[in-house]
Structure formats: structure tokens, C-alpha cells
Amino acid sequence: VQSPTMNAEDVEKRIAAHVASVVPDRATIQIGIGALPDAVLGLLTSHRDLGLHSGLVGDSAIALIESGAITNAFKKTDAGVSVTNTAGGTVRTQRHLHDNPAFVMRPAAYTHHPATLASLYRLHAINSALEVDVTGQANAEHDGRAWRGGLGGLGDFVRSARMAEGGRGIVALASTSRDGKRSRIVASTSKGQVTLARGDADMVITEWGIADLRDASFAERVERMVAIADPRFREQLERDWATLRLG
């Protein structure tokens, strides 16, 4: 994801550094595949005794296991094993999973179930969205021009991570569109689409920082979200929100 002042790789590295900074040792992580998840996983190799419970895993998750950072030793559920619903990646992932008693594939009814997720110690669910409004509502479905996805596991994982002991639900995204012309931190979501409700929002991260929305008031949410938007769009965001609030 790009802006005039930062290329895609730099943006992802900065977001990943912020995400890695809030993941503690012994956390159980849920994360997908792609450039940003790969960047995050690459920065967790110095962590200790992480657990893995995810809807989808790929080569970067396998690399983190092989680095020794993931041991699953402190998971209260599925202790000692990594769990996923779907395997992506290449032959590296397939070889790691084949006949591996330390890796279990489970149906989505188990991997995404709130009771399962809430039982995981320090579950840190790391997901993304197309845009997030200044109150914390996330839209992962429509980018204002076309449908880009469905509900997916965003709500399941973020909502349940808040219920887990020491858990956090993280939504990580670049602050602007690929060409840098459109803010992805918005006053209101495209076509009113809401995949994650503001009441379930927890932590939102962009390359500009971290907005902790847990137990925050409306005013605090707006202030924190504007602070992680691209600086070029911050004043307009405040004006747009004021118009919506007063209208």
C-alpha cells in the first residue's frame, strides 16, 4: 500500500513494527497470509513461547514455528499444538503439516467459535480491513467502488480476543489507498458497510501508530483514530466527523 512519501514495503514494515510491539511473549496469535501478515510474522522471531491458532496459515507461520518462537507451551486449549482451519502457502507448508502431531486442522465451527477463542491465553487476533471509521467501525467488504470480500473471520476473532485472558483484537491497515489519494481512516464507512461494530473494536494500527479504543469514549476514539491517519487527511477527517456529529 503506497503513499507519495512511503513505498509499499516501508508502509508494511512500519505497521508490522507497531503490531509486533504489542504482542507479548506467550501470546497465542491469529493471523492470515499476505505481505502485511508476512511482515508481522517476520518480526516475531525473537518472541518466546508463542502459540498459534488461526483460520489460515502459510509459509511465514511455518517459518516462525521453525524459528522456535512458537511452542504452544502456554495455550490453555490445544496445549502443545498449532491449530488452523485452512492451509495456504507452498509445499513448505504442506510438508510441515503432513503427519505432524504438533499441528492440527480443525473445522471452522471449532477454530472460529467464541468459546474456543475466549479460552486461549493472551489471544492476539491480527486482522485487516479496507477502512475503519473514526469511532472504530471496520469495513472489510466494500471499498466504495466494488465488493472486495465477505464477513470472513474478522468479527469472530476480534470480538473473541477481547474476551480471552490478556487478549487483544487488532485491526491493522495502511492509512491510505495504494495511490495515496484516499484515506482509509474515514468519518463514515463506504456505503455504510460495517463488518466489525464499534463496540467490538479494540486496537487499530496503521503506519502512523496505534489507536487503543478499548473502553474509550466517542471523543477519545475520534482523537486517537485521527492521530493514526495520514497527516494530509487529518483536518478533513475532523471536519467530516463534526459535520456528521452535528447533522
Side-chain angles (χ1 to χ4, degrees):
V1 188
Q2 224 167 359
S3 78
T5 57
M6 229 181 296
N7 63 38
E9 187 176 354
D10 289 338
V11 169
E12 286 154 2
K13 285 180 178 178
R14 285 179 55 166
I15 298 169
H18 290 310
V19 174
S21 75
V22 300
V23 177
D25 289 342
R26 302 181 179 179
T28 298
I29 56 172
Q30 173 267 320
I31 194 167
I33 61 175
L36 180 54
D38 287 352
V40 172
L41 291 167
L43 292 179
L44 296 178
T45 55
S46 62
H47 282 56
R48 292 293 173 263
D49 290 317
L50 295 174
L52 179 64
H53 179 107
S54 203
L56 173 65
V57 297
D59 290 4
S60 293
I62 302 308
L64 190 58
I65 294 172
E66 293 174 347
S67 77
I70 292 177
T71 66
N72 296 295
F74 288 87
K75 290 171 73 177
K76 294 183 178 180
T77 300
D78 296 314
V81 297
S82 296
V83 176
T84 189
N85 169 247
T86 305
T90 67
V91 67
R92 179 180 187 179
T93 298
Q94 296 166 15
R95 285 175 175 165
H96 183 91
L97 268 61
H98 182 65
D99 284 341
N100 185 351
F103 215 115
V104 178
M105 296 190 71
R106 297 279 177 84
Y110 178 84
T111 58
H112 292 55
H113 197 286
T116 302
L117 298 172
S119 71
L120 295 168
Y121 179 60
R122 288 183 179 173
L123 174 61
H124 279 60
I126 304 163
N127 292 270
S128 194
L130 297 171
E131 58 187 7
V132 182
D133 79 12
V134 291
T135 71
Q137 295 182 130
N139 164 26
E141 300 168 66
H142 200 288
D143 67 359
R145 297 177 294 275
W147 292 97
R148 300 297 182 187
L151 290 172
L154 175 64
D156 295 322
F157 285 110
V158 172
R159 187 180 305 115
S160 300
R162 290 188 51 148
M163 298 187 290
E165 180 185 352
R168 299 305 302 252
I170 298 166
V171 176
L173 72 165
S175 66
T176 69
S177 57
R178 186 172 294 276
D179 59 10
K181 295 181 179 179
R182 181 172 57 87
S183 178
R184 295 175 69 190
I185 306 301
V186 295
S188 59
T189 59
S190 298
K191 298 186 179 297
Q193 293 300 317
V194 175
T195 314
L196 182 72
R198 67 171 64 93
D200 295 321
D202 188 1
M203 188 178 286
V204 181
I205 297 177
T206 73
E207 69 272 27
W208 299 102
I210 302 167
D212 190 339
L213 306 183
R214 185 176 289 197
D215 301 323
S217 67
F218 257 53
E220 290 168 337
R221 286 168 180 258
V222 174
E223 179 181 5
R224 295 172 190 179
M225 288 298 298
V226 169
I228 65 167
D230 186 296
R232 295 170 298 157
F233 296 100
R234 291 176 187 173
E235 289 187 9
Q236 186 61 53
L237 272 173
E238 290 174 338
R239 289 194 293 268
D240 290 347
W241 170 249
T243 299
L244 282 173
R245 181 172 58 84
L246 298 173

